[in-house]
């Protein structure tokens, strides 16, 4: 097989041969790692232009890709070479390689101790396939949406060697191919144009050490303006493109010639650090601490930082709060959200209700009689306050009757004509709320009618919710931004009841809203502390309260055979991993009739390490879903039927950070993956797969607001930095039927005794107290 050199001119530039294709794409001899030395290109082995001629050259087409890392471009592939009976194994950095791609490579033969003879690529040149079989393989590789193997065979069968020219220059001719109509033709045209632009962007970014997966994200955001945008301000990447941080943007900027002390870099770095602090839960930062972090991150002097901070403040991008000791610095959006939350809570508290007060004594008793329940004193207190207060917080651990309170409140207001709405931060929590109360509940995002097309939440101050009473469950999960939007959508005369467990982990987003409201002492709070008899029979609930009180949890000694809480002692992380795999695959399904994927959730404190989420997911995927159709995204493999989790809020698709689903279909021709989330089918383009991760094991933080039939929790001293009481408490309270912990009692004791949670810098409590 012969590949056609992609034409026309070639120019010597920076020691690389630059080739301009017939389609206008810029292609090059690509060194695996290159630096300039006295005007010559020097690769990672110290070879210059003058020594390249000593390298071996091969030409062929990629028959199979055995491994591909989208982040780095490192590829292991089988190359079909003319004159050789068997394909050659080649390794090296390639740009978005696909089966069918024709390439010319220069490199050296090496002998791998395990896999034998391989060809190590130092430089390569993309070629356009010219044989019929090569073109068919190229088109059918999934490169172009709308063209799969069958359609590729039909195109090549009709146009032969002219197929690529037809697509490039006269694509309307494809309408004569069986199975291609106007709609499919439009999809093919769009995908072909995008592929050309994306390939050019990928080539551009490779010079700056940016992998193909990042290029795809950048192209998805900026489209055809990507290269121009990056040249003007590469720091925009850190804010605009999910998965690309300041470090990558800074590296590109440096190679594009931006000075280390440039105002653009200083401002971008300041905003980046404050954003990172927000992602860690902080609403503001003490000024001195912030400046220290700016210096550490940017390596530039305080005089420049001070000047650029003042400039950012003048532009309204950051705000100083003088009342905070030592002065606090906010990103403007965080400042507006926190001040608005405080203002709206005070307005709700101080404005009369929509309807006159009802007789709390009689209405509460009637509700209790209709529900046939015998409440505790604190529950009666909560119901009476709900009948007369404008804003109320009800908090308590598992089994203390929070759901019973919600049901009773609904009963109290059933015949008053007052319109009641129920909401929760996550889909699972909202579904659980609906099932427990028999009343429709929605996620907060859905309640506020978020719309990407129309630009944000449609329910707001100008278009408020049509309700008189709003009850929100799992309120500990609500961050400062979501609470701000929720409160702005409430009429001043509405009643707000927040229900949650203040002992759980705080929200994943910035703030500690529920705890700040409670500690402000400006809003009525009822803490439910009595565990009801039926709930008290659960060892899970008993141990949750032991943890909350600082007591080490333990199985029920009276009847261990019927227990729902187990602790398995193992010290070696490798042994802990082995036990987790045995439990999930065999022991728990056999003993308790649990489905190993749908019913059992592994929760771990960490992402790294042998029992961190990354490695656990690799091992559990191999065990529970070892074969089937799959696609790779960097080091991650997604297979049909995999359990996956959404890791960012996607308002357009209405799936949110922490939602768990199953892969239902992989469509290679359309480059789409379908995932079922609670009965809803969500379609992901291949370029969007950075939004989901395998979810056989997830972090404890990601489990907030969810419950699972069974949870398995590793607890080791290697997790020392994260061993906190509220983390263990949150993990244990996720299990409905069964909790199994594996690790050391020393690690468990460290966690239970550690009441000190990581401090979050918030000023909401003070704003509620003092305005």
């Amino acid at each position: 097989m012969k590949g056609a050199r992609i034409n026309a001119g070639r120019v010597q530039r920076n020691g690389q041969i630059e080739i301009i294709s017939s389609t206008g794409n810029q292609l090059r001899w690509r060194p695996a790692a290159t630096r300039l030395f006295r005007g010559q290109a020097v690769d990672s082995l110290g070879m210059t232009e003058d020594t390249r001629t000593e390298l071996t050259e091969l030409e062929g087409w990629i028959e199979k890709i055995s491994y591909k890392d989208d982040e780095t471009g490192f590829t292991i592939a089988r190359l079909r070479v003319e004159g050789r009976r068997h394909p050659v194994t080649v390794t090296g950095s390639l740009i978005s390689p696909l089966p069918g791609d024709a390439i010319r490579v220069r490199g050296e033969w090496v002998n791998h101790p395990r896999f034998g003879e391989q060809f190590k690529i130092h430089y390569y040149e993309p070629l356009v396939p010219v044989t019929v079989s090569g073109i068919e393989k190229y088109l059918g590789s999934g490169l172009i949406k709308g063209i799969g193997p069958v359609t590729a065979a039909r195109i090549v069968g009709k146009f032969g060697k002219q197929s690529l020219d037809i697509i490039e220059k006269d694509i309307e001719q494809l309408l004569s191919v069986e199975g291609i109509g106007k709609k499919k033709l439009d999809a093919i045209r769009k995908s072909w144009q995008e592929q050309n632009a994306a390939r050019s962007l990928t080539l551009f970014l490779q010079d700056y050490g940016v992998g193909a997966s990042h290029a795809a994200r950048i192209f998805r955001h900026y489209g055809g303006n990507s290269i121009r945008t990056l040249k003007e301000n590469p720091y925009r990447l850190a804010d605009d493109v999910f998965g690309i941080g300041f470090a990558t943007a800074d590296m590109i900027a440096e190679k594009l010639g931006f000075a280390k002390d440039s105002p653009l870099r200083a401002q971008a770095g300041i905003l980046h650090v404050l954003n990172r602090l927000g992602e860690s839960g902080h609403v503001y930062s003490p000024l001195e601490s912030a400046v220290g972090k700016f210096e550490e991150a940017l390596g530039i002097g305080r005089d420049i930082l001070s000047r650029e901070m003042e400039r950012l403040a003048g532009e309204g991008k950051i705000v100083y709060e003088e009342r905070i000791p030592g002065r606090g610095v906010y990103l403007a959006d965080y400042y507006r959200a926190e001040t608005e939350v405080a203002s709206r809570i005070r307005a709700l508290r101080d404005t009369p209700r929509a309807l006159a007060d009802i007789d709390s004594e009689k209405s509460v008793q009637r509700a209790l009689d209709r529900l046939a329940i015998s409440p505790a004193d604190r529950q009666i207190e909560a119901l009476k306050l709900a009948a007369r207060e404008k804003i109320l917080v009800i908090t308590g651990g598992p089994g203390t009757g929070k759901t019973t309170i919600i049901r009773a409140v609904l009963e109290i207001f059933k015949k008053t004509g007052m319109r009641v709405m129920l909401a929760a931060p996550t889909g699972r929590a909202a579904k659980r709320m609906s099932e427990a109360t028999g009343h429709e509940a929605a996620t907060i995002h859905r309640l506020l009618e978020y719309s990407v097309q129309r630009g944000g939440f449609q329910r707001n101050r100008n278009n408020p919710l049509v309700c008189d009473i709003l009850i929100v469950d799992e309120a500990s999960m609500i961050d400062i931004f979501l609470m701000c939007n929720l409160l702005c959508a409430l009429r001043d005369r509405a009643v707000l009841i927040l229900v949650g467990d203040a002992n759980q982990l705080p929200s994943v987003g910035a703030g500690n809203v529920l705890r700040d409201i409670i500690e402000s002492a400006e809003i009525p709070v009822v803490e439910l502390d009595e565990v009801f008899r039926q709930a008290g029979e659960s060892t899970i609930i008993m141990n949750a309260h032991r943890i909350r009180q600082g007591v080490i949890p333990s199985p029920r000694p009276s009847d261990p055979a019927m227990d729902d809480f187990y602790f398995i002692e193992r010290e070696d992380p490798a042994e802990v991993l082995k036990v987790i795999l045995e439990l999930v695959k065999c022991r728990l399904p056999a003993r308790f009739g649990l489905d190993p994927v749908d019913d059992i959730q592994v929760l771990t404190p960490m992402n790294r390490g042998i029992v961190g989420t990354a490695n656990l997911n690799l091992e559990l995927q191999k065990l529970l879903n070892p074969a089937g159709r799959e696609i790779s995204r960097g080091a991650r493999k997604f297979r049909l039927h995999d359990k996956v989790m959404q890791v960012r809020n996607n308002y357009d698709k209405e799936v949110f950070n922490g939602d768990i689903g199953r892969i239902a279909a992989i469509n290679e021709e359309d480059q789409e993956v379908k995932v079922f989330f609670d009965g809803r089918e969500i379609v992901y383009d291949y370029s969007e797969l950075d939004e989901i991760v395998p979810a056989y094991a997830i972090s404890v933080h990601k489990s907030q607001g969810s419950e699972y039939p069974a949870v398995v929790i590793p607890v080791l001293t290697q997790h020392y930095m994260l061993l906190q009481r509220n983390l263990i408490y949150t993990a244990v309270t996720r299990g409905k039927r069964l909790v199994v912990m594996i690790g050391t009692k020393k690690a468990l004791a460290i966690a239970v005794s550690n009441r000190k949670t990581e401090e979050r810098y918030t000023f909401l409590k003070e704003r509620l107290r003092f305005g």
Side-chain angles (χ1 to χ4, degrees), residues 577 580-581 601-621 635-636 643 645 647 693-703 712 714 719 722:
L577 174 63
I580 290 173
L581 298 179
Q601 184 62 60
V602 179
L603 304 179
T604 179
M606 300 190 73
N607 292 318
R608 297 179 180 177
I610 195 168
V611 289
T613 56
N615 188 60
L616 279 169
N617 274 309
L618 286 173
E619 296 296 332
L620 287 165
Q621 184 190 51
R636 295 196 301 268
K643 183 178 185 179
M645 179 175 63
V647 293
V693 297
Y696 299 99
I698 65 175
S699 70
V700 179
H701 284 81
K702 293 287 188 185
S703 73
V712 177
H719 303 154
L722 293 171

Side-chain angles (χ1 to χ4, degrees), residues 252-555:
I252 295 172
E254 182 182 9
K255 292 183 177 180
L256 284 171
F258 286 82
K260 183 178 180 180
D261 59 354
S262 74
L264 193 64
R265 180 174 184 266
Q267 291 179 30
I270 289 166
L271 297 176
H272 161 71
V273 170
L274 291 176
N275 267 309
R276 289 294 298 272
L277 290 169
E279 290 168 4
S280 299
H282 303 293
V283 180
Y284 75 90
S285 175
L287 181 58
E288 185 62 27
S289 172
V291 173
K293 288 181 170 63
F294 300 156
E295 287 183 300
E296 182 181 350
L298 299 172
I300 54 181
R302 288 198 169 207
D303 54 339
I304 296 174
L305 291 171
S306 297
R307 183 187 68 217
E308 298 309 322
M309 287 177 71
E310 291 303 322
R311 186 172 295 173
L312 288 169
E315 294 172 356
K317 294 179 180 178
I318 66 173
V319 178
Y320 295 111
E321 175 56 79
E322 304 295 344
R323 293 183 295 172
I324 294 173
R327 210 178 186 202
V329 58
Y330 285 78
L331 284 171
D333 287 345
Y334 287 75
Y335 180 82
R336 283 191 288 267
E338 189 177 75
T339 54
E340 189 69 35
V341 167
S343 173
R344 294 297 302 135
I345 287 175
R346 290 196 303 273
L348 281 171
R349 180 194 62 189
D350 298 339
T351 306
R353 313 164 63 110
L355 295 179
D357 287 342
I358 58 179
D359 188 323
S360 59
E361 295 282 348
K362 290 182 179 179
S363 59
V364 167
Q365 191 55 54
R366 279 197 301 267
L368 296 176
D369 291 342
R370 283 195 290 266
L371 293 173
I373 57 177
S374 300
D377 291 343
R378 288 287 179 89
Q379 286 185 307
I380 293 174
E381 178 189 353
L383 290 172
K384 288 179 178 178
L385 288 171
R388 66 171 186 261
E389 294 290 342
K390 277 295 305 307
I391 182 167
L392 173 67
V393 173
I394 300 170
T395 182
T400 57
K402 296 191 297 296
T403 301
T404 300
I405 291 289
I406 296 173
R407 290 174 56 221
V409 169
L410 290 170
E411 194 66 36
I412 287 171
F413 292 108
K414 182 183 289 185
K415 295 184 179 180
T416 64
M418 298 181 79
R419 295 158 297 189
V420 183
M421 287 184 172
L422 305 185
T426 68
R428 289 198 172 195
K431 183 179 180 181
R432 196 167 64 245
M433 198 179 187
S434 295
E435 292 170 348
T437 63
H439 190 287
E440 182 184 357
T443 64
I444 296 173
H445 292 89
R446 187 166 294 174
L447 189 78
L448 300 182
E449 300 174 17
Y450 191 92
S451 169
V452 173
Q453 292 78 13
R454 289 180 286 174
F457 292 108
Q458 300 309 294
R459 293 292 179 177
N460 48 45
R461 195 187 301 273
N462 298 321
N463 182 30
L465 292 167
V466 183
C467 77
D468 302 303
I469 300 169
L470 176 62
I471 304 173
V472 183
D473 200 9
E474 296 286 357
S476 64
M477 295 182 64
I478 305 176
D479 64 31
I480 196 69
F481 290 110
L482 190 56
M483 182 61 81
C484 178
N485 283 288
L486 181 64
L487 293 174
C488 285
L490 271 182
R491 291 185 170 98
D492 287 349
R493 291 169 67 83
V495 172
L496 175 63
I497 300 174
L498 300 173
V499 182
D501 188 344
N503 291 297
Q504 287 189 26
L505 289 167
S507 58
V508 174
N512 204 349
V513 178
L514 182 64
R515 184 167 290 280
D516 282 347
I517 292 173
I518 292 171
E519 292 182 354
S520 75
E522 293 294 309
I523 302 301
V525 177
V526 179
E527 182 175 1
L528 306 176
D529 55 6
E530 181 177 335
V531 179
F532 286 85
R533 184 184 62 81
Q534 186 176 359
E537 294 173 359
S538 164
T539 315
I540 295 173
I541 291 177
M542 178 192 77
N543 277 321
H545 287 276
R546 286 169 66 92
I547 292 168
R548 187 171 63 85
Q549 295 158 8
V551 180
I552 296 176
S554 63

Side-chain angles (χ1 to χ4, degrees), residues 107-129:
E108 60 180 321
W109 293 100
V110 296
N111 192 46
H112 191 282
R114 181 178 173 188
F115 300 109
E117 188 178 59
Q118 297 180 341
F119 189 83
K120 183 176 180 181
I121 300 170
H122 292 288
Y123 309 94
Y124 82 96
E125 178 184 6
L127 306 171
V128 171

Side-chain angles (χ1 to χ4, degrees), residues 153-164:
R154 290 172 180 167
I155 292 171
V156 173
K158 188 171 185 64
F159 300 113
K161 293 183 179 181
Q162 302 303 312
S163 297
L164 296 180

Side-chain angles (χ1 to χ4, degrees), residues 495-685:
V495 172
L496 175 63
I497 300 174
L498 300 173
V499 182
D501 188 344
N503 291 297
Q504 287 189 26
L505 289 167
S507 58
V508 174
N512 204 349
V513 178
L514 182 64
R515 184 167 290 280
D516 282 347
I517 292 173
I518 292 171
E519 292 182 354
S520 75
E522 293 294 309
I523 302 301
V525 177
V526 179
E527 182 175 1
L528 306 176
D529 55 6
E530 181 177 335
V531 179
F532 286 85
R533 184 184 62 81
Q534 186 176 359
E537 294 173 359
S538 164
T539 315
I540 295 173
I541 291 177
M542 178 192 77
N543 277 321
H545 287 276
R546 286 169 66 92
I547 292 168
R548 187 171 63 85
Q549 295 158 8
V551 180
I552 296 176
S554 63
R556 189 182 296 275
S558 57
D559 190 3
M562 299 299 293
D563 206 355
D564 56 7
F565 185 98
Y566 296 86
F567 188 91
I568 301 173
E569 274 202 84
R570 295 290 188 276
E571 186 170 352
D572 179 41
E575 187 65 21
V576 171
L577 174 63
K578 180 181 176 183
V579 172
I580 290 173
L581 298 179
E582 290 173 354
L583 286 168
V584 174
K585 176 67 174 178
C586 304
R587 291 165 61 180
L588 299 186
R591 172 77 180 276
F592 298 97
L594 297 165
D595 183 279
V597 177
D598 291 331
D599 295 338
I600 303 172
Q601 184 62 60
V602 179
L603 304 179
T604 179
M606 300 190 73
N607 292 318
R608 297 179 180 177
I610 195 168
V611 289
T613 56
N615 188 60
L616 279 169
N617 274 309
L618 286 173
E619 296 296 332
L620 287 165
Q621 184 190 51
K622 284 192 291 187
L623 189 70
L624 301 175
N625 195 21
R629 184 178 298 174
E630 73 174 31
I631 57 171
S632 298
R633 307 304 294 174
R636 295 196 301 268
K637 287 183 175 16
F638 292 108
R639 293 182 183 142
L640 192 63
H641 308 307
D642 261 347
K643 183 178 185 179
V644 295
M645 179 175 63
Q646 178 80 11
V647 293
R648 64 174 299 200
N649 289 337
N650 188 319
Y651 301 105
D652 194 22
K653 297 182 188 296
E654 292 191 35
V655 285
F656 303 102
N657 193 351
D659 286 353
I660 289 179
R662 296 284 292 274
I663 293 180
I666 297 175
N667 187 325
E668 294 179 2
E669 181 166 319
D670 293 333
Q671 297 183 26
E672 292 177 345
V673 172
K674 293 180 181 177
V675 181
F676 273 110
F677 291 97
D678 288 328
R680 292 192 308 125
E681 181 182 275
I682 305 298
V683 178
Y684 292 83
D685 186 86

